[in-house]
Amino acid sequence: MKTASYHFKWFEKEDGRKRLRASIGEDGKLRIGRTLRAKLPQYIRIGFDENNLTLAIADGHGIGIHCPACGVISAQALSARISAIGFRLPVAFELARNEQTGYLVGKIVPHHHTNKAGQRQFDAEELLAWGKPIVSDAVRQMAKSTPLADRRSIAKEALLTAAQNYHPRCGNLAAYLAQSVRSALWAENRRYGETFACQSLDQPLRRDAEEDDTLYDMISDGEGWAESLEMRLDTERFCGQLSSQERDMVRMLQEGFQMTEIEDVLGISEQDLRHMACEIARKKRKFDADT
């Protein structure tokens, strides 16, 4: 009898007092929690990424902002920037050390109140602003056979719906919402299968099949398969906008043909081939911008 092989990941009891917290108020003061202060050097640098709504605190290496014992630092410019983005002050951050940079980083914690069922209720407008990076990443990476405007609408609706269903036991809020948005886009993408005609991964595998099974249903849930599939779908859509001669050129380049070999196969001059390559590059830039 074969012995089972286990790979356990052990968890420790969570202690809220160990969380690295900071907040910034209407008075323009950045308040650094006691546990976080204990991990900071005497001089620090403070940065803010507007696109990801993320605060970073780094070692100032002897210069920069002096971190007082009380943990209150004037940050008027940061306060004004967060207000301009559309967030109601005060806002809080929960930070963790980034192993690559060594910085302590943390995203804004969106405002919420907890209802009687223990669910967090968020302000919809602020949540959409907070979740914009999640929506943008999912729309850019997922379900590209769905029209762009529909992808954005589906992603925003999925974000708000997932937030209503969120409970602290679901784990990290950002990760939970990101997975929910990606799942919604993937499910809705099935409606747009006809876009790819007979060459598509969306098409039924057998015309006489009772069930409309497609390659979507045949691919396992292994890590990375969704991204690989999206790349295939993206390539199909782009190639659909090319002429037959341009598609032949793209295919031969992918297969490793040399430029002189492509000239011979297509029966065109080097100048015409280079012009065609420039035209394909132009179409690709436009395609990437539109999707």
Side-chain angles (χ1 to χ4, degrees), residues 129 172 192 201 239 251:
N172 179 269
Y192 296 91
L201 300 177
C239 288
R251 176 182 56 78

Side-chain angles (χ1 to χ4, degrees), residues 195-248:
T195 304
F196 297 103
C198 61
Q199 67 174 348
S200 173
L201 300 177
D202 289 25
Q203 286 298 106
L205 294 172
R206 293 173 51 198
R207 293 183 179 181
D208 58 346
E210 295 183 3
E211 300 292 336
D212 291 334
D213 291 332
T214 70
L215 283 182
Y216 275 120
D217 306 304
M218 302 300 291
I219 298 176
S220 69
D221 291 333
E223 183 178 356
W225 74 269
E227 289 75 11
S228 176
L229 185 55
E230 281 300 328
M231 291 178 63
R232 165 71 186 276
L233 294 174
D234 213 14
T235 300
E236 288 180 9
R237 291 185 63 225
F238 172 64
C239 288
Q241 299 178 6
L242 303 178
S243 68
S244 60
Q245 197 173 53
E246 288 171 336
R247 285 197 296 272
D248 288 340

Side-chain angles (χ1 to χ4, degrees), residues 6-257:
Y6 298 104
H7 301 280
F8 294 110
K9 181 178 181 181
W10 301 100
F11 297 90
E12 297 180 359
K13 180 180 179 181
E14 294 184 3
D15 187 348
R17 294 172 297 180
K18 293 183 179 180
R19 292 178 180 173
L20 308 181
R21 292 172 171 162
S23 65
I24 187 162
E26 296 179 59
D27 57 0
K29 303 290 186 182
L30 177 66
R31 292 170 172 82
I32 300 175
R34 182 181 301 175
T35 307
L36 177 56
R37 290 202 304 272
K39 293 185 176 293
L40 297 178
Q42 186 176 4
Y43 289 91
I44 59 175
R45 291 183 298 149
I46 298 172
F48 184 66
D49 183 335
E50 293 186 20
N51 292 327
N52 294 297
L53 307 175
T54 299
L55 179 75
I57 303 179
D59 191 336
H61 298 291
I63 60 174
I65 301 171
H66 179 262
C67 186
C70 64
V72 179
I73 300 172
S74 179
Q76 296 288 343
L78 175 60
S79 174
R81 193 62 239 150
I82 292 174
S83 294
I85 293 172
F87 283 86
R88 184 179 74 257
L89 296 174
V91 297
F93 301 87
E94 285 198 6
L95 296 91
R97 189 170 299 281
N98 182 292
E99 297 300 330
Q100 292 181 327
T101 63
Y103 302 163
L104 289 161
V105 297
K107 190 171 180 177
I108 289 177
V109 178
H111 292 102
H112 67 273
H113 68 272
T114 304
N115 61 20
K116 293 181 179 179
Q119 294 175 311
R120 297 186 179 189
Q121 303 295 300
F122 300 90
D123 176 84
E125 185 174 346
E126 185 176 271
L127 184 66
L128 286 174
W130 180 85
K132 185 177 179 180
I134 295 174
V135 169
S136 297
D137 285 348
V139 166
R140 185 176 66 253
Q141 298 173 12
M142 299 287 299
K144 292 186 179 179
S145 56
T146 304
L148 180 59
D150 288 356
R151 291 207 305 274
R152 288 174 175 158
S153 177
I154 292 165
K156 289 178 180 179
E157 183 178 350
L159 183 85
L160 295 174
T161 300
Q164 291 175 356
N165 298 327
Y166 176 76
H167 189 279
R169 63 172 173 264
C170 297
N172 179 269
L173 174 63
Y176 174 79
L177 295 182
Q179 181 58 48
S180 298
V181 169
R182 290 170 68 88
S183 296
L185 282 171
W186 200 246
E188 287 291 329
N189 195 51
R190 302 290 184 88
R191 298 172 48 199
Y192 296 91
E194 295 178 0
T195 304
F196 297 103
C198 61
Q199 67 174 348
S200 173
L201 300 177
D202 289 25
Q203 286 298 106
L205 294 172
R206 293 173 51 198
R207 293 183 179 181
D208 58 346
E210 295 183 3
E211 300 292 336
D212 291 334
D213 291 332
T214 70
L215 283 182
Y216 275 120
D217 306 304
M218 302 300 291
I219 298 176
S220 69
D221 291 333
E223 183 178 356
W225 74 269
E227 289 75 11
S228 176
L229 185 55
E230 281 300 328
M231 291 178 63
R232 165 71 186 276
L233 294 174
D234 213 14
T235 300
E236 288 180 9
R237 291 185 63 225
F238 172 64
C239 288
Q241 299 178 6
L242 303 178
S243 68
S244 60
Q245 197 173 53
E246 288 171 336
R247 285 197 296 272
D248 288 340
M249 180 179 178
V250 170
R251 176 182 56 78
M252 284 187 283
L253 285 172
Q254 291 174 337
E255 293 176 359
F257 281 66

